[in-house]
Amino acid sequence: MKKLILLSLLGLTACAGNSSNFSKLKIGMHTKQVVELVGAPESKKPIFTGEWWMYTKQNKMIVIDNDTVVTVKQDLKASQDSMKNLLDTLGK
């Protein structure tokens, strides 16, 4: 039982550490560095020559182009709302 509690606490600590590491991301970092720092994304969406890496639990998004960080969005929800509004406007 003690081992289970200890493992659970270690897992929570690791998750919390990854979330705070988003502030350490820099434009120009390679995707391998991103995964080492904050972990793999929950989902990826292809765009042109790159991808949007979505971290919904942390409310973050990283824009990747040619395996390199182009942008780090600190508020995924706001970015999604903005994209939806743009698409709605273009559709009218």
Side-chain angles (χ1 to χ4, degrees):
M1 182 68 168
K2 288 182 182 180
K3 286 183 182 180
L4 179 62
I5 292 171
L6 180 59
L7 288 174
S8 297
L9 288 174
L10 287 173
L12 289 174
T13 304
C15 290
N18 283 349
S19 182
S20 65
N21 284 340
F22 276 92
S23 63
K24 297 177 183 175
L25 291 172
K26 304 286 184 224
I27 292 173
M29 284 183 138
H30 191 271
T31 53
K32 183 178 177 182
Q33 294 171 299
V34 173
V35 172
E36 289 172 359
L37 194 60
V38 297
E42 293 167 41
S43 65
K44 296 179 182 181
K45 307 263 189 252
I47 56 164
F48 306 109
T49 61
E51 297 175 312
W52 287 335
W53 284 20
M54 313 297 237
Y55 295 83
T56 53
K57 291 177 186 171
Q58 294 87 2
N59 192 33
K60 310 283 188 230
M61 178 177 74
I62 302 170
V63 180
I64 303 291
D65 188 32
N66 294 318
D67 289 324
T68 305
V69 174
V70 176
T71 303
V72 178
K73 297 289 186 179
Q74 298 297 330
D75 189 346
L76 172 61
K77 177 74 171 112
S79 296
Q80 289 172 324
D81 291 344
S82 186
M83 286 183 279
K84 183 183 182 310
N85 289 338
L86 177 62
L87 290 174
D88 290 347
T89 301
L90 293 173
K92 292 180 181 178

